[in-house]
Amino acid sequence: MTEQALSYVDTHFSRFVEELKDLLRIPSISTDPDYAPEVRRAADWLAEHFRKLGFLKVEVFETEGHPIVYAEYTVDATRPTVLVYGHYDVQPPDPLELWTSPPFEPEIRDGNLYARGACDDKGQLFMHVKAAEAYLKTAGTLPVNLKFLLEGEEESGSVHLAPFIEAHRELLAADVVVISDTAMFAPGVPSITYGLRGLAYVEVELTGPARDLHSGVYGGAVENPINVLARLIAGLHDEDHRITIPGFYDDVRPLTEEERRTFRELPFDEKAWMEEIGVSAVRTEKGYTILEAITARPTLDVNGIWGGYQGKGAKTVLPAKAGAKISMRLVPDQDPDDIVEKTRRYFEQKTPPTCKLRFTSLHGGHPVLVDTRHPAMQAAAEAMARVFGRRPYFTREGGSIPVVADFKRLLGLDSVLMGFGLNSDAIHSPDEHFGLDRFRQGIESIVHFLERYGQRPT
Ligand code: BES
Ligand code: ZN
């Protein structure tokens, strides 16, 4: 039945692309409350799509935030059950002026589909929908029992997802989770991601005087909160580019010699990597390669900073406030709550009496490592080998998908991360795109995966 499904994909591919474009036209930006109706529209669009495909159970679940789309096609209790997770929300498209074509008016150029969400993650989740369609419209059934859990809050921290999973354990019962929301190692070089970093995200605000002051009249005695903030931030790394927060590395599992050897064997071209992002030098934690530093070591980055005068020209002001958003990428076995507390202590202890500190934790997620010997990992590797003509590498990636740790903790489920993005797809950036070749290869890989995994005894 796989052959028929694959030839169906071939025949209907251009319609699949048109449908994806319709989904991409919906600006489902989860972080901006003004777009809540659009997020809902995307959820309804997907639910309607599942219903048209003949999914037997389709529901849009309300949460305190954006809705969760659930769809299910059960075939036979003796078959394994695959739970597909994806997110239909997207990042804000700003800065708008840097897009070649408008972010919510999908356009194909040079074989790439350009739109916000084309790769992250509408294009990738849609591959699973279309692989299911290919079986349903040819064989009238699926090789596995299939469940979809699609959320609308991934890009804003998935805050209502864990409680939902906890409250719907039975509904979500499965043998494995499959997610396409990561990247391939390189063009034409498939990979399965077995490690993701976690995240701890905080906001710091320092207040000095009760109001903005004339810097000539008060400067010299009143300490400037921007100066203080800059000093505290500069102190967060040492000369070896290690993070100085006391206890930050306590729970970091060191890379094994074997892992480091595997990393070295990967065909990672440091020079090409640097060129693509326009940097002429890098700064990694001392002793680590770029690839290790961006995937398997923890980091701390300031994501935004504010205070004082930002307008045109000069203004001699001694500002009352300064603030920064700071995120840390975590690796096993760091715990986001523990890291937030350690970071809070750092700022509490270093804030001088001239300033008042407001410290807020925004959101976080646990890091994960998946056992590559899992039967579904192996089925996915075989499936991708069929399509790409070479076996995928097992790699770690630096991004975060917080729900992966929740699936393990709450449902005992491992996740197979079979991603078809490329780091050059510009996710979260202007001109995000997805190669139509990879959209097709992704669908084909999933078709093969479902067949192979469906043959496993449960
Ligand atoms: N798809 C990405 C995660 C990703 C990107 C994994 C590249 C591997 C490689 C996801 O949508 C994302 O951006 N996640 C956020 C999570 C955060 C908002 C909790 C991230 O990593 O910043
Ligand atoms: Zn994503």
Side-chain angles (χ1 to χ4, degrees):
M1 79 195 207
T2 301
E3 281 317 307
Q4 288 90 313
L6 289 170
S7 92
Y8 181 92
V9 172
D10 203 45
T11 314
H12 296 269
F13 187 73
S14 48
R15 170 173 55 82
F16 293 175
V17 175
E18 288 311 310
E19 290 168 347
L20 173 57
K21 281 165 126 180
D22 287 341
L23 178 59
L24 290 168
R25 281 189 194 99
I26 308 173
S28 47
I29 306 163
S30 59
T31 198
D32 184 342
D34 290 350
Y35 285 84
E38 299 294 344
V39 179
R40 173 165 304 270
R41 203 150 69 81
D44 291 339
W45 189 97
L46 281 162
E48 188 50 31
H49 201 82
F50 282 119
R51 285 191 194 103
K52 275 197 232 139
L53 292 181
F55 270 70
L56 307 171
K57 185 168 173 182
V58 181
E59 202 167 329
V60 176
F61 284 96
E62 297 304 322
T63 71
E64 277 167 47
H66 300 300
I68 288 172
V69 180
Y70 178 81
E72 172 184 307
Y73 197 104
T74 20
V75 173
D76 170 349
T78 66
R79 295 276 178 156
T81 301
V82 172
L83 175 62
V84 174
Y85 162 86
H87 63 93
Y88 66 83
D89 64 321
V90 298
Q91 286 272 328
D94 317 73
L96 278 173
E97 66 279 10
L98 296 184
W99 285 78
T100 308
S101 51
F104 298 107
E105 293 172 31
E107 192 176 290
I108 297 170
R109 295 193 297 275
D110 293 333
N112 289 312
L113 178 56
Y114 286 82
R116 171 59 86 232
C119 172
D120 184 12
D121 178 41
K122 288 172 176 171
Q124 294 215 65
L125 76 82
F126 205 55
M127 300 181 310
H128 290 268
V129 183
K130 295 294 106 177
E133 172 180 335
Y135 276 116
L136 290 174
K137 297 293 178 191
T138 52
T141 185
L142 294 171
V144 300
N145 301 307
L146 198 55
K147 297 178 174 181
F148 278 86
L149 174 68
L150 307 177
E151 74 156 317
E153 299 189 323
E154 198 272 352
E155 301 291 7
S156 48
S158 299
V159 280
H160 300 101
L161 189 57
F164 178 86
I165 294 173
E166 225 171 337
H168 296 86
R169 282 172 204 267
E170 245 159 75
L171 183 73
L172 302 174
D175 294 289
V176 74
V177 177
V178 177
I179 302 175
S180 295
D181 193 23
T182 51
M184 312 206 309
F185 190 76
V189 186
S191 57
I192 294 175
T193 303
Y194 73 91
L196 288 171
R197 289 195 286 196
L199 190 71
Y201 205 127
V202 303
E203 195 173 298
V204 196
E205 193 180 69
L206 293 179
T207 307
R211 58 185 161 84
D212 283 6
L213 302 172
H214 188 294
S215 65
V217 177
Y218 294 95
V222 174
E223 195 170 35
N224 183 325
I226 301 184
N227 295 12
V228 175
L229 184 63
R231 198 161 73 223
L232 298 193
I233 288 173
L236 283 164
H237 289 94
D238 68 13
E239 319 77 73
D240 294 336
H241 209 55
R242 281 174 65 88
I243 295 148
T244 58
I245 296 169
F248 185 84
Y249 292 94
D250 283 359
D251 298 318
V252 172
R253 213 190 294 173
L255 279 162
T256 62
E257 257 326 300
E258 149 120 41
E259 257 188 312
R260 300 197 77 177
R261 196 173 47 247
T262 317
F263 269 109
R264 278 195 297 274
E265 284 163 6
L266 289 170
F268 183 73
D269 184 341
E270 295 200 339
K271 238 184 102 217
W273 182 87
M274 286 164 66
E275 250 161 45
E276 200 261 323
I277 50 170
V279 300
S280 50
V282 292
R283 181 104 197 263
T284 63
E285 179 187 349
K286 193 175 176 192
Y288 292 95
T289 65
I290 293 180
L291 196 55
E292 289 169 340
I294 63 174
T295 64
R297 294 296 296 171
T299 64
L300 182 149
D301 278 294
V302 178
N303 301 109
I305 189 160
W306 62 93
Y309 181 62
Q310 317 266 335
K312 289 204 179 97
K315 182 184 183 200
T316 50
V317 61
L318 199 165
K321 277 186 197 305
K325 290 182 192 285
I326 300 174
S327 69
M328 291 158 275
R329 295 283 170 177
L330 311 179
V331 300
D333 298 306
Q334 287 177 299
D335 175 77
D337 296 331
D338 174 60
I339 292 296
V340 167
E341 284 322 302
K342 286 171 172 161
T343 310
R344 185 197 303 279
R345 242 169 283 146
Y346 171 95
F347 279 98
E348 281 173 357
Q349 281 166 6
K350 302 260 178 192
T351 301
T354 52
C355 288
K356 250 195 348 274
L357 169 73
R358 197 173 58 85
F359 182 97
T360 328
S361 166
L362 295 182
H363 59 65
H366 284 81
V368 280
L369 283 175
V370 188
D371 189 344
T372 57
R373 290 164 307 183
H374 192 290
M377 286 284 237
Q378 293 303 324
E382 288 159 22
M384 290 169 91
R386 283 292 296 272
V387 173
F388 289 89
R390 57 185 293 172
R391 274 187 77 84
Y393 289 118
F394 286 102
T395 55
R396 290 172 71 159
E397 282 193 272
S400 309
I401 307 177
V403 71
V404 176
D406 295 331
F407 282 133
K408 186 70 181 176
R409 183 170 57 88
L410 300 170
L411 304 176
L413 295 181
D414 287 307
S415 298
V416 178
L417 300 159
M418 48 188 322
F420 300 91
L422 284 175
N423 285 339
S424 54
D425 286 343
I427 64 171
H428 297 203
S429 302
D431 281 351
E432 175 179 353
H433 57 278
F434 193 32
L436 292 178
D437 53 342
R438 285 175 286 125
F439 181 54
R440 183 194 288 259
Q441 288 162 329
I443 300 170
E444 290 170 353
S445 299
I446 295 162
V447 165
H448 282 292
F449 166 77
L450 294 176
E451 186 217 10
R452 271 159 202 268
Y453 190 62
Q455 287 160 358
R456 310 249 162 195
T458 42

mmCIF file of all heavy atoms in Angstrom, residues 87 120-121 154-155 181 428, ligand 2:
data_model
loop_
_atom_site.group_PDB
_atom_site.id
_atom_site.type_symbol
_atom_site.label_atom_id
_atom_site.label_comp_id
_atom_site.label_asym_id
_atom_site.label_seq_id
_atom_site.Cartn_x
_atom_site.Cartn_y
_atom_site.Cartn_z
ATOM 1 N N HIS A 87 3.161 22.475 15.931
ATOM 2 C CA HIS A 87 2.540 23.728 16.368
ATOM 3 C C HIS A 87 2.139 24.574 15.170
ATOM 4 O O HIS A 87 2.892 24.705 14.209
ATOM 5 C CB HIS A 87 3.432 24.508 17.342
ATOM 6 C CG HIS A 87 4.746 24.972 16.795
ATOM 7 N ND1 HIS A 87 4.916 26.214 16.232
ATOM 8 C CD2 HIS A 87 5.958 24.369 16.741
ATOM 9 C CE1 HIS A 87 6.176 26.355 15.866
ATOM 10 N NE2 HIS A 87 6.830 25.256 16.151
ATOM 11 N N ASP A 120 8.648 26.489 10.094
ATOM 12 C CA ASP A 120 8.461 26.416 11.562
ATOM 13 C C ASP A 120 7.086 26.908 11.932
ATOM 14 O O ASP A 120 6.899 28.081 12.160
ATOM 15 C CB ASP A 120 9.568 27.250 12.234
ATOM 16 C CG ASP A 120 9.547 27.174 13.746
ATOM 17 O OD1 ASP A 120 8.847 26.312 14.283
ATOM 18 O OD2 ASP A 120 10.228 27.984 14.380
ATOM 19 N N ASP A 121 6.046 26.080 12.040
ATOM 20 C CA ASP A 121 6.148 24.652 11.849
ATOM 21 C C ASP A 121 4.993 24.185 10.968
ATOM 22 O O ASP A 121 4.731 23.007 10.827
ATOM 23 C CB ASP A 121 6.106 23.989 13.237
ATOM 24 C CG ASP A 121 6.160 22.468 13.210
ATOM 25 O OD1 ASP A 121 6.933 21.922 12.418
ATOM 26 O OD2 ASP A 121 5.390 21.849 13.935
ATOM 27 N N GLU A 154 3.331 27.210 21.035
ATOM 28 C CA GLU A 154 4.728 26.770 21.166
ATOM 29 C C GLU A 154 5.671 27.951 21.177
ATOM 30 O O GLU A 154 6.603 28.013 21.966
ATOM 31 C CB GLU A 154 5.088 25.812 20.023
ATOM 32 C CG GLU A 154 6.332 24.975 20.311
ATOM 33 C CD GLU A 154 7.634 25.636 19.900
ATOM 34 O OE1 GLU A 154 7.612 26.699 19.247
ATOM 35 O OE2 GLU A 154 8.687 25.083 20.231
ATOM 36 N N GLU A 155 5.406 28.908 20.300
ATOM 37 C CA GLU A 155 6.316 30.049 20.173
ATOM 38 C C GLU A 155 6.173 31.025 21.337
ATOM 39 O O GLU A 155 6.913 31.997 21.432
ATOM 40 C CB GLU A 155 6.091 30.775 18.839
ATOM 41 C CG GLU A 155 6.297 29.905 17.590
ATOM 42 C CD GLU A 155 7.747 29.491 17.356
ATOM 43 O OE1 GLU A 155 8.611 29.747 18.206
ATOM 44 O OE2 GLU A 155 8.001 28.882 16.296
ATOM 45 N N ASP A 181 9.921 19.356 13.566
ATOM 46 C CA ASP A 181 10.055 20.773 13.937
ATOM 47 C C ASP A 181 11.519 21.095 14.188
ATOM 48 O O ASP A 181 11.849 21.986 14.965
ATOM 49 C CB ASP A 181 9.202 21.040 15.194
ATOM 50 C CG ASP A 181 9.020 22.534 15.478
ATOM 51 O OD1 ASP A 181 9.155 23.333 14.538
ATOM 52 O OD2 ASP A 181 8.747 22.878 16.639
ATOM 53 N N HIS A 428 12.129 32.175 12.370
ATOM 54 C CA HIS A 428 12.100 33.329 13.305
ATOM 55 C C HIS A 428 12.671 34.597 12.667
ATOM 56 O O HIS A 428 12.759 35.620 13.337
ATOM 57 C CB HIS A 428 12.855 33.047 14.629
ATOM 58 C CG HIS A 428 12.274 31.939 15.453
ATOM 59 N ND1 HIS A 428 12.476 31.823 16.808
ATOM 60 C CD2 HIS A 428 11.475 30.894 15.121
ATOM 61 C CE1 HIS A 428 11.839 30.741 17.267
ATOM 62 N NE2 HIS A 428 11.231 30.168 16.249
HETATM 63 ZN ZN ZN B 2 8.916 25.258 15.817
#
